Amino acid sequence: MFDGPEPIYVQIAEHLRRQVLDGALAEGDQVMSTTQYATTYRINPATAAKAFAQLVDEGVIYKQRGVGMFVADGARERLREHRRGAFFTDHLDQVLDEARVLGISPDDLVRYIQQKGAGA
Protein backbone atom coordinates (compact mmCIF):
# COMPACT_ATOMS: atom_id res chain seq x y z
CA MET A 1 0.00 0.00 0.00
CA PHE A 2 2.76 2.44 0.88
CA ASP A 3 5.06 2.22 -2.11
CA GLY A 4 5.27 5.81 -3.36
CA PRO A 5 8.40 7.95 -3.37
CA GLU A 6 7.35 9.92 -0.28
CA PRO A 7 8.28 8.74 3.21
CA ILE A 8 5.83 6.17 4.58
CA TYR A 9 4.61 8.47 7.36
CA VAL A 10 3.66 11.08 4.72
CA GLN A 11 1.76 8.41 2.76
CA ILE A 12 -0.07 7.25 5.90
CA ALA A 13 -1.08 10.81 6.77
CA GLU A 14 -2.27 11.41 3.20
CA HIS A 15 -4.21 8.13 3.20
CA LEU A 16 -6.04 9.17 6.37
CA ARG A 17 -6.68 12.69 5.03
CA ARG A 18 -8.18 11.17 1.88
CA GLN A 19 -10.42 8.89 3.98
CA VAL A 20 -11.70 11.94 5.88
CA LEU A 21 -12.24 13.91 2.66
CA ASP A 22 -14.04 10.98 0.99
CA GLY A 23 -16.24 10.41 4.02
CA ALA A 24 -14.86 6.92 4.71
CA LEU A 25 -13.88 8.32 8.10
CA ALA A 26 -16.50 10.64 9.56
CA GLU A 27 -15.99 13.18 12.31
CA GLY A 28 -15.94 11.34 15.62
CA ASP A 29 -14.96 8.00 14.07
CA GLN A 30 -12.17 6.11 15.77
CA VAL A 31 -9.01 5.74 13.72
CA MET A 32 -6.92 2.56 13.68
CA SER A 33 -4.25 2.77 16.37
CA THR A 34 -0.57 3.15 15.58
CA THR A 35 -0.02 -0.43 16.78
CA GLN A 36 -2.79 -1.70 14.49
CA TYR A 37 -1.29 0.27 11.59
CA ALA A 38 2.15 -1.15 12.28
CA THR A 39 0.82 -4.70 12.47
CA THR A 40 -1.54 -4.44 9.50
CA TYR A 41 0.93 -2.78 7.14
CA ARG A 42 4.11 -4.29 8.63
CA ILE A 43 5.75 -0.98 9.34
CA ASN A 44 7.61 0.45 12.29
CA PRO A 45 5.17 1.75 14.97
CA ALA A 46 7.26 4.96 15.19
CA THR A 47 6.51 5.60 11.50
CA ALA A 48 2.76 5.35 12.10
CA ALA A 49 3.10 7.48 15.24
CA LYS A 50 4.88 10.21 13.24
CA ALA A 51 1.98 10.30 10.73
CA PHE A 52 -0.58 10.46 13.52
CA ALA A 53 1.34 13.24 15.29
CA GLN A 54 1.30 15.26 12.08
CA LEU A 55 -2.47 14.81 11.77
CA VAL A 56 -2.95 15.80 15.42
CA ASP A 57 -0.91 18.97 14.78
CA GLU A 58 -3.13 19.72 11.77
CA GLY A 59 -6.30 19.25 13.83
CA VAL A 60 -7.48 16.32 11.70
CA ILE A 61 -7.45 13.79 14.55
CA TYR A 62 -7.23 13.98 18.31
CA LYS A 63 -6.16 11.58 21.01
CA GLN A 64 -8.46 10.56 23.80
CA ARG A 65 -6.18 9.18 26.50
CA GLY A 66 -6.74 5.51 27.14
CA VAL A 67 -9.31 5.19 24.37
CA GLY A 68 -7.63 5.98 21.05
CA MET A 69 -7.50 8.42 18.17
CA PHE A 70 -10.59 9.99 16.61
CA VAL A 71 -11.42 12.22 13.67
CA ALA A 72 -11.77 15.78 14.95
CA ASP A 73 -14.90 17.87 14.58
CA GLY A 74 -14.58 20.08 11.50
CA ALA A 75 -11.68 18.02 10.10
CA ARG A 76 -13.30 17.40 6.73
CA GLU A 77 -14.09 21.06 6.15
CA ARG A 78 -10.61 22.16 7.27
CA LEU A 79 -9.04 19.70 4.85
CA ARG A 80 -11.35 20.80 2.03
CA GLU A 81 -10.57 24.47 2.56
CA HIS A 82 -6.85 23.83 2.62
CA ARG A 83 -7.02 21.66 -0.51
CA ARG A 84 -9.21 24.14 -2.37
CA GLY A 85 -6.62 26.86 -1.94
CA ALA A 86 -3.79 24.57 -2.95
CA PHE A 87 -5.74 23.20 -5.92
CA PHE A 88 -5.49 26.43 -7.87
CA THR A 89 -1.81 27.05 -7.27
CA ASP A 90 -0.64 23.42 -7.34
CA HIS A 91 -2.73 22.18 -10.25
CA LEU A 92 -4.84 24.68 -12.12
CA ASP A 93 -2.13 27.27 -12.68
CA GLN A 94 -0.05 24.66 -14.53
CA VAL A 95 -3.02 23.61 -16.65
CA LEU A 96 -3.79 27.22 -17.55
CA ASP A 97 -0.18 27.88 -18.49
CA GLU A 98 -0.15 24.80 -20.74
CA ALA A 99 -3.49 25.79 -22.31
CA ARG A 100 -2.11 29.25 -23.06
CA VAL A 101 0.97 27.73 -24.75
CA LEU A 102 -1.23 25.38 -26.78
CA GLY A 103 -3.58 28.19 -27.83
CA ILE A 104 -6.60 26.77 -26.00
CA SER A 105 -9.03 29.59 -25.33
CA PRO A 106 -10.72 30.23 -22.00
CA ASP A 107 -14.06 29.54 -23.72
CA ASP A 108 -12.79 26.11 -24.82
CA LEU A 109 -11.68 25.37 -21.27
CA VAL A 110 -15.05 26.41 -19.83
CA ARG A 111 -16.91 24.29 -22.39
CA TYR A 112 -14.76 21.29 -21.61
CA ILE A 113 -15.25 21.69 -17.85
CA GLN A 114 -19.01 22.06 -18.30
CA GLN A 115 -19.15 18.92 -20.45
CA LYS A 116 -17.15 16.92 -17.92
CA GLY A 117 -19.22 18.32 -15.06
CA ALA A 118 -22.47 17.30 -16.75
CA GLY A 119 -21.20 13.75 -17.08
CA ALA A 120 -20.12 13.54 -13.42
Side-chain angles (χ1 to χ4, degrees), residues 95-105:
V95 170
L96 294 173
D97 287 344
E98 183 71 9
R100 195 172 10 268
V101 168
L102 296 174
I104 299 172
S105 74

Side-chain angles (χ1 to χ4, degrees), residues 80-97 100 113:
R80 291 178 90 187
E81 286 302 315
H82 174 75
R83 296 263 174 116
R84 282 182 186 138
F87 173 79
F88 290 100
T89 57
D90 293 351
H91 301 287
L92 201 51
D93 285 352
Q94 293 174 21
V95 170
L96 294 173
D97 287 344
R100 195 172 10 268
I113 292 168

Side-chain angles (χ1 to χ4, degrees), residues 1 4 18 32 35-36 38 43 48-49 64 79-80 86 89 92 118 120:
M1 176 174 174
R18 177 58 63 184
M32 189 185 303
T35 303
Q36 289 171 316
I43 60 172
Q64 191 171 351
L79 286 170
R80 291 178 90 187
T89 57
L92 201 51

